[in-house]
Amino acid sequence: EIEKADYDTLHQDYSESVDALQRAIAVLKQQSHDRKQAASLVQVSALKELALIPESAKETLDAFLQQEPEGLEVSAPEAHGYEFQSHGVIE
């Protein structure tokens, strides 16, 4: 009887773990794409809205976000802001 209770507890734990893994894999499959660099810069520009960021830092962020890349558009392809690296997990 004690062994059955131990088995039931262990089985429930494993079942919950497998369910959590299946849900996590489903989320990864939905997000299995690279993010463009511009989308990543949106996060940087969102820092300007925080009250904790000093005004001088906000001005520096503005200057950085407004500058044009010089010559890089032709010589190098645009890098991804984030490259999805969990293909091995979802396959």
Side-chain angles (χ1 to χ4, degrees):
E1 194 171 305
I2 294 174
E3 290 178 4
K4 181 174 181 352
D6 287 345
Y7 169 80
D8 289 341
T9 302
L10 187 62
H11 179 71
Q12 180 180 0
D13 184 43
Y14 284 165
S15 296
E16 290 171 357
S17 296
V18 168
D19 182 52
L21 285 170
Q22 289 173 337
R23 286 183 279 130
I25 289 171
V27 169
L28 285 174
K29 284 182 179 180
Q30 290 174 350
Q31 299 178 1
S32 64
H33 59 279
D34 298 334
R35 275 76 170 173
K36 297 287 183 192
Q37 185 71 29
S40 297
L41 291 178
V42 170
Q43 295 173 347
V44 173
S45 64
L47 293 174
K48 298 185 304 181
E49 307 301 321
L50 297 176
L52 298 173
I53 305 293
E55 197 60 40
S56 61
K58 291 178 184 181
E59 292 171 5
T60 304
L61 284 173
D62 276 336
F64 172 74
L65 293 172
Q66 291 175 2
Q67 71 186 23
E68 294 288 326
E70 298 173 9
L72 293 178
E73 294 176 13
V74 175
S75 62
E78 181 180 337
H80 292 291
Y82 172 78
E83 292 185 27
F84 186 74
Q85 299 178 3
S86 298
H87 292 292
V89 174
I90 63 175
E91 291 177 353

